[in-house]
Every structure is written in structure tokens, then in C-alpha cells.
Amino acid sequence: MATTGIDYPKELNPDQLAAATAPPGPALVLAGAGSGKTRTLTYRVAFLVENGLPPENILLLTFTNKAAREMLERVRNLLPHDISRLWGGTFHSVGNRILRRHAPAVGLEPGFTILDRDDARDLLAACFPAIGVDPKEKRFPKAGAILELLSFSANTTRPLDELLATGYAHLEEFADALSRLADEYRKRKLASNAADYDDLLTLPLDLLRRDPRLARHYQDRWACVLVDEYQDTNRVQADFIDLVASAHRNVTVVGDDAQSIYSWRGANFENILSFPDRYPGSRVYRIELNYRSVPQILSLANASIANNSRQFPKALRSTLAAGVRPHLVATPDADGQARFIAREILSLHSDGTPLREIAVLYRAHAHAIELQMELVRCHIPFVITSGIQFFEQAHVKDVAAYLKTAFNPFDEIAFKRVARLMPGVGDRSAEKLWQRVRGQSEWPEDIAPAKAVKDWRQLRQLIAQLRAQPGPSVPDAISWILDACYRDMLNLKYDNHQQRIDDIQQLQEFSRRFDSVPDLLAQLSLMTGLDASYGGADDGDVLRLSTVHQAKGLEWEAAFVIMLCDGAFPLGRLIDDEAQLEEERRLFYVAVTRAKKRLYLTFPQMRFGRGAAGGDLFQRPSRFLTELPPGLAEPVQIRIPRETAHRGHRHRDAEFDPWDWS
DNA sequence: ATTCGGCCGGTTTTT
DNA sequence: CCGGCCGAAT
């Protein structure tokens, strides 16, 4: 059996071992936070390969590229086998690979473009006139909101009118226009030879359903399907798994229903709850031994999640010696909270905790502005895993648009983006130009407005050059774009042009690993913020600020969970709906289980000028704190230094008792 | 008729 | 800090 000497019983605990070496057949592995979920899945892959399953017969689906990369890397280190033919990656990247092979069957060319969220919104907005909706009509929903609706509909497979009747009643009066808009949008995507994120999931599934022979091909190929983070799958993803695994029924799904936090994106944690019913005879493995956090942190996490009704009952047990109780810190306001955190971080740091082992987690980016200012003041270096990704920045998207225009002559959004970079060209001129060049391999000369004649000639020549055979290497293509026109454009437009050029050169460096421009473009669209592999941006010893969503799967010695006020975490408008509140609680559970040794739960007792409500607001502590049994956290009395009682706020120089929330 | 600069307002979470 | 809206400039 074993040929490479992996000593499974030695390297895995008994629960992990049972899951990793499970016999063929459907298996559900319920692996709690910090229990070695990735490790187990990695060893499962190794186990299968070692027992004679060729790697090309394995499909490994993950939630992020990073997770896939790490797992495959670890398998490579465990085994001498060549696993390059193993299909591993995110659902979207696997969908992309399938579509590239069978693009014509769904009405696309293999070189199709992937529309990111902004591209998709722009294309949808461009559909408004065609269905006779005035985009200036104030009452009509914005393109972004409609896209969200369409996306939710696609990911949950719930038809538009059903959604409109239930969760989106305020849009119901527009039902007719919205459904025509959806049709138009679908047509325009095909006409642009483009697919949005949702298409990467739905089109392959539709294709396999329509073509049983093709389905059979993939079913045979993937004798074994493994899925990470199964609790975050949506209906389309679950259906895809069910379809490709239906021949062999060798499907291992790993997940933790307590960490399902993506329902707003269509994820349905009923998928994991109902797995045993949908796969009769499946085995269920529980891994509850936690290697990450001290017992006091797990006690709090267990107590919190116990307030949820829909779940597999579970309790994490720590393998670590007792540490300290989580600290519960009330501050007068957000500035006080920021000062407390900064001070505590400096103290942790001087006690030997590197900054990179500390994180501040929050519900929404806006919750951290006061803290950011305080950190700058205290010279504490930090990085934010921002909502804006490297490749979503305007200049990176501009360069991508040049490439898309060159390699996909039907890409309307990319062309218009490039056209509008020329002086004197706005929406109208861009549309006129588009009518003249759509699908053309060669563009007419002198069709641009007077002010852009020179720029048009440059652009025309650049595109011809990029399209010439044999094509340029990917880094060369980017150089050509910079040299032809884009460097000048940046210099004119931005005062931080050097920074932007540096970014593009970093992109160029990253692009070396790709053989073709379409490969690069697809990869760019599918990367996440945490997959920041384009450069060693965050190697230094820096503090991390992150939303809880983006912190999933990560861990730190010390974590601060901040802004724990009712209305901020849980977020205001989600409190009334019991299902959404339970998701917020799962999010809180994810947050607290990121901490290994020290956990701080902080909340300001007052926040200021929050728009709609108007004026200052006294805050209730988060119900996720008040509902906990007493004694799980250590109330910390903080002294507010005198200089903080300024700007007319009504604080006394006093001590605050966080448990006194009368 | 368009473009483009300036200002205001608002913001959940993201493959 | 980004997108949308309005008004001045072309």
C-alpha cells in the first residue's frame, strides 16, 4: 500500500486520519476552525495518489486560489509523484478551464474575456437605452443593484420574478423592464465574446447538462472529487459537484457549517446540512480538536455559536495549555477604541509579539478609519486587505483593457475604456468609434474627433502591432502599451504617475509566468486580494487590518475584533431577520477563532454623526457580547487619558465598567 | 452636443 | 476614497 513512507497515523490525529483515509464513497468531513482541515484534505489527496489513483483523475475545488496553491504545494512535498495533471483550483477557475475548451458550444470563442464586477456593471448600464429605460430616471434601480440581483438569481438558480416577489419587493414594479434588461445583458455578453463571474459557473453546468456525452467524459475523468469550504457553495456549485460526481459517487466535501458567511452571495449552507440526505450511505467525519487557540478563546467561540439554531452540534476542544481569557474592552468612543488598540499593540510588540502576528478585524472597512489615523500617528506600520484589489486599480485595468481590445475584437467594454482615455472622447464618441471597429481586424484611419486624431493613430498602430503574428511575449505586450501611449497618458493625468508605472511594471513581472495574453487576462480576473502573488508586497513585519470575511482561514497570535456595537456588528439592517442574524453570528465566530493566544473584543460606547440616524448615538454593546454567559471574558477597565476628553464630548476622565450596560 | 473638472454623498461582506 | 451629478467650457 504505502510506497513513499508517509506515516499517516503519526502525522494526523485519529479524527483526521479517519477522514484522510476514508474508503471510497461520499464523505462529509465536518472540520471546525483551526482543526487542520487543510492538512486533512492535503493528506487525503496524497493518500489517494499513493494508493494508485492517477492525479489527473482528481478534481480539487477550493474557495481561493491561495488555498489550492498551498494544498498542491504540500502534496508535492509529500509525494514524489507528478501531480501537474491534477485539476485543482477555485470553482471559477475550473469553470473557466472547461469553457475555454468548449466555448463554441455555449456561443463563445475560446479567447473570450472575463468581465469583472465593474465591467459587468458598465455593460449592463450600456443596455439601458436598448430596452427604452432612461438611465437618468431616478427611481429606476442602478446598474450595480440590478447586477447584484441578477447575480443572486444566477447563483441560487431562483428565477428573477420569484426573487422580485420575495426579497426584493421594492423592485417588483420594474419586473418587466428588469427581465428585458436581463435578456439584453445576456445577448450583449455573447456579442462581446465575454463571460461574467456567474457565467463561469452556470455555463459549464448548462453545457454538461445538455451534452450527456461530455458530462460522461468529465465524470469518467474525475473519479474522485474533493471540495474545500463546502459550506460556502451555492446552488450552482453544489449542482456542478453532484453532476460530475454522479458516476463514481467518490466525493469528499470538507467544511464547517459554523463558518458559512457568504449567503449574500448566494451560498447556501443547507448544502452542507443536507449532504447526508442527498448522498445516502455517506460517512460523516468530525474533527473538533483545535490546534490553534487557547481553551479560553474556544470556550467563548463555542458559547457564542451555541446561540444558533440551524447547525450540526459541535464543540471545539483545545490542544493547548490554558492561556488568558479574552479581554472585553469598552471605550467611550471610536477614538478611544483606536487609542486603546494602538497602545495595546505597542505593548504586545514590546513583549515580543511581531506585528505580523497581530490583526485587527472588523465588519466593514469603514469601521477602521479612526484606527488607521491613530496607527499613523503612532508610527505602527500596517496593511489593509482592502476591498480594492491591486488589479482593480484604474491603471491596471487600463492596461488589461488594451490587451483585451487587441485579443478580443468584440470586447465592447474594453474598447470603450481604451477609447475614452483619448482626449475629447467621452461616451458618445466612444460609441461611434465602437460602431466602426466592432469585430474588425483592421481599424479605419481618421475616424476620431479632431482632438484625438494623433492618439487614434497611435492606438490603431498599437493594436495592429499587438495583433500581428507571431504575437509578442506577454511582458513585451505590456511594454508596447506603456511606450506607445499609456506612459504619457499617466504622466498627464496623475501626480502619482511614477507609483502607477511601478504598479504596471510589477504586473509585467507577474505576467512573465504566462505563455499567452488570454491566460494572463483570465488569471487577473480570477485572482483575489489574498492571492497577492504578484509581488512580495506584505513581507515586512506589519500589522494587518482586515474585514472578517477576508480573514477567513487565517490566524494570528493576537486578534482584536472591534466595533462590537449592535448595528455595526451585527450590522444594522441584518438584525431583524433571524437567518441573517445567525449568519452574522457565524461571522463573529469566524472572527474570534482567528486568535491563537490573545483575543480582544472592543466596542465604543458612543459613535458620532452616523448619517441617516443623525447626531451622536449611544451604542448598545453587540448582542453577541451580551448574550454570552458571564465569566467567559475578562472585563478590562481602561483609563482614558485626560487629553482624550476634548472637542466638547461629554466624557469624564473616568473609568468605564464594560459590564454596566444599564 | 459633449466633454470634463469640481464637489458632494455615501459605504457590508467578494469569487 | 470612488462614483455620480451638475455646470462651465469647448
Side-chain angles (χ1 to χ4, degrees):
Chain A
M1 206 168 99
T3 56
T4 55
I6 299 176
D7 188 350
Y8 292 90
K10 194 174 157 218
E11 305 198 23
L12 302 171
N13 72 35
D15 293 341
Q16 294 172 336
L17 178 68
T21 60
L28 167 62
V29 182
L30 291 168
S35 67
K37 172 170 62 70
T38 310
R39 186 179 182 81
T40 304
L41 205 48
T42 304
Y43 276 83
R44 173 96 181 132
V45 174
F47 177 81
L48 292 169
V49 173
E50 221 185 351
N51 282 284
L53 184 68
E56 61 263 36
N57 292 339
I58 297 177
L59 173 65
L60 174 65
L61 291 163
T62 62
F63 195 63
T64 64
N65 296 299
K66 184 163 168 268
R69 212 169 38 232
E70 283 176 4
M71 259 188 267
L72 294 178
E73 189 54 38
R74 285 160 76 169
V75 174
R76 274 191 201 96
N77 290 334
L78 285 174
L79 294 176
H81 302 69
D82 173 19
I83 56 162
S84 59
R85 296 198 62 218
L86 189 157
W87 277 49
T90 63
F91 284 94
H92 289 89
S93 72
V94 167
N96 175 52
R97 281 175 76 177
I98 295 175
L99 279 190
R100 298 279 166 194
R101 297 180 166 200
H102 313 289
V106 297
L108 292 169
E109 303 290 321
F112 66 86
T113 299
I114 297 171
L115 302 172
D116 70 15
R117 227 195 120 70
D118 288 343
D119 298 333
R121 179 176 38 69
D122 293 346
L123 186 63
L124 186 66
C127 296
F128 277 34
I131 58 144
V133 170
D134 180 1
K136 288 193 289 280
E137 169 59 55
K138 284 243 197 299
R139 288 184 55 253
F140 199 77
K142 295 261 183 308
I146 301 171
L147 189 69
E148 199 183 317
L149 176 71
L150 296 183
S151 180
F152 195 75
S153 165
N155 283 303
T156 55
T157 72
R158 294 172 61 187
L160 203 53
D161 37 347
E162 184 196 317
L163 288 181
L164 289 173
T166 56
Y168 296 81
H170 56 292
L171 298 179
E172 202 170 4
E173 58 177 308
F174 306 112
D176 185 51
L178 288 176
S179 105
R180 279 184 293 137
L181 204 47
D183 286 341
E184 180 68 18
Y185 175 59
R186 201 173 307 120
K187 278 187 213 142
R188 290 261 193 138
K189 277 187 294 189
L190 290 179
S192 299
N193 191 26
D196 65 18
Y197 286 145
D198 305 328
D199 293 332
L200 296 181
L201 304 178
T202 57
L203 294 179
L205 180 61
D206 291 345
L207 175 63
L208 296 188
R209 281 184 171 152
R210 279 203 319 268
D211 187 343
R213 273 190 53 223
L214 194 62
R216 188 72 216 179
H217 167 79
Y218 284 108
Q219 286 162 350
D220 287 342
R221 166 156 194 156
W222 294 320
C224 206
V225 179
L226 302 125
V227 188
D228 191 21
E229 309 273 22
Y230 187 71
Q231 77 283 349
D232 283 323
T233 54
N234 62 38
R235 178 65 192 276
V236 180
Q237 292 163 328
D239 285 353
F240 179 81
I241 296 162
D242 291 350
L243 178 64
V244 299
S246 63
H248 294 81
R249 295 209 341 137
N250 276 331
V251 51
T252 304
V253 302
V254 181
D256 179 5
D257 54 294
Q259 296 188 71
S260 171
I261 56 175
Y262 285 102
S263 73
W264 47 272
R265 203 170 75 189
N268 187 351
F269 84 136
E270 294 295 333
N271 287 339
I272 192 168
L273 294 179
S274 67
F275 186 87
D277 300 329
R278 295 195 347 267
Y279 285 87
S282 60
R283 293 181 172 79
V284 178
Y285 301 88
R286 279 189 158 72
I287 310 179
E288 295 183 337
L289 210 50
N290 174 294
Y291 291 89
R292 179 185 293 154
S293 310
V294 295
Q296 287 86 346
I297 290 175
L298 295 185
S299 299
L300 190 144
N302 286 333
S304 177
I305 203 67
N307 288 300
N308 272 12
S309 55
R310 295 284 295 145
Q311 60 177 321
F312 291 111
K314 68 181 66 62
L316 293 173
R317 301 188 313 279
S318 179
T319 58
L320 303 179
V324 295
R325 283 194 295 172
H327 287 356
L328 181 63
V329 186
T331 64
D333 57 19
D335 289 323
Q337 179 183 246
R339 277 190 301 276
F340 167 78
I341 293 168
R343 210 178 51 188
E344 195 66 22
I345 286 171
L346 288 174
S347 152
L348 287 169
H349 190 229
S350 65
D351 288 346
T353 309
L355 289 177
R356 83 172 76 83
E357 277 297 333
I358 308 175
V360 179
L361 309 177
Y362 38 79
R363 179 64 180 85
H365 284 295
H367 293 161
I369 33 187
E370 293 91 351
L371 179 63
Q372 289 177 38
M373 294 192 298
E374 183 65 18
L375 292 172
V376 171
R377 217 172 290 141
C378 297
H379 305 105
I380 300 175
F382 64 95
V383 288
I384 302 175
T385 44
S386 152
I388 298 137
Q389 319 295 359
F390 172 80
F391 52 87
E392 284 172 9
Q393 297 177 91
H395 48 290
V396 177
K397 288 208 67 177
D398 287 342
V399 171
Y402 282 107
L403 295 171
K404 289 175 178 174
T405 305
F407 288 84
N408 179 2
F410 292 92
D411 192 328
E412 175 180 345
I413 293 299
F415 174 82
K416 286 184 175 172
R417 183 182 187 104
V418 166
R420 293 189 40 157
L421 289 172
M422 298 186 293
V425 177
D427 284 339
R428 296 308 294 254
S429 314
E431 173 63 27
K432 279 181 199 150
L433 289 170
W434 174 241
Q435 293 306 329
R436 300 292 300 275
V437 304
R438 179 176 182 280
Q440 303 296 312
S441 55
E442 292 205 28
W443 294 354
E445 231 176 323
D446 302 327
I447 53 173
K451 264 192 290 189
V453 168
K454 189 169 135 275
D455 301 83
W456 177 253
R457 283 192 187 144
Q458 269 177 352
L459 177 62
R460 193 173 163 271
Q461 202 197 338
L462 171 65
I463 298 298
Q465 202 181 355
L466 289 170
R467 285 179 178 175
Q469 293 297 329
S473 75
V474 189
D476 282 351
I478 295 174
S479 289
W480 292 355
I481 291 165
L482 271 179
D483 296 341
C485 52
Y486 196 60
R487 195 192 315 268
D488 293 339
M489 225 167 272
L490 283 177
N491 288 338
L492 282 168
K493 214 166 148 188
Y494 299 106
D495 42 10
N496 64 346
H497 50 265
Q498 192 49 51
Q499 158 98 55
R500 288 171 192 253
I501 289 170
D502 290 349
D503 281 349
I504 293 167
Q505 276 160 356
Q506 204 175 50
L507 173 71
Q508 200 169 15
E509 198 47 48
F510 173 67
S511 76
R512 282 183 199 288
R513 70 182 77 172
F514 297 94
D515 297 332
S516 78
V517 169
D519 280 352
L520 168 72
L521 291 173
Q523 204 47 237
L524 272 187
S525 309
L526 295 173
M527 259 197 318
T528 76
L530 292 173
D531 300 323
S533 51
Y534 43 81
D538 48 13
D539 287 341
D541 186 25
V542 294
L543 172 72
R544 177 162 299 267
L545 270 54
S546 173
T547 62
V548 182
H549 282 93
Q550 289 181 107
K552 191 162 171 225
L554 306 178
E555 60 180 27
W556 292 271
E557 290 288 312
F560 295 77
V561 184
I562 71 171
M563 281 292 176
L564 284 162
C565 322
D566 246 33
F569 197 167
L571 202 65
R573 44 190 294 271
L574 305 179
I575 290 179
D576 297 330
D577 181 297
E578 188 56 31
Q580 291 192 312
L581 182 65
E582 293 209 347
E583 175 144 323
E584 293 288 289
R585 194 178 279 109
R586 292 193 292 270
L587 195 59
F588 179 68
Y589 178 81
V590 169
V592 301
T593 52
R594 297 310 96 197
K596 295 197 242 179
K597 299 235 169 63
R598 289 177 170 276
L599 172 65
Y600 299 82
L601 306 170
T602 74
F603 67 96
Q605 293 170 316
M606 189 156 48
R607 288 170 76 203
F608 300 101
R610 305 314 286 175
D616 303 355
L617 284 177
F618 287 95
Q619 300 290 311
R620 310 295 311 172
S622 170
R623 63 193 65 198
F624 300 151
L625 299 176
T626 57
E627 73 193 7
L628 291 173
L632 289 176
E634 168 119 16
V636 178
Q637 310 276 319
I638 60 160
R639 282 193 58 84
I640 305 305
R642 182 164 288 280
E643 80 268 14
T644 68
H646 60 184
R647 290 195 211 122
H649 300 337
R650 288 145 287 170
H651 314 139
R652 292 150 304 163
D653 180 3
E655 298 196 339
F656 289 83
D657 177 1
W659 287 114
D660 176 21
W661 37 56
S662 48

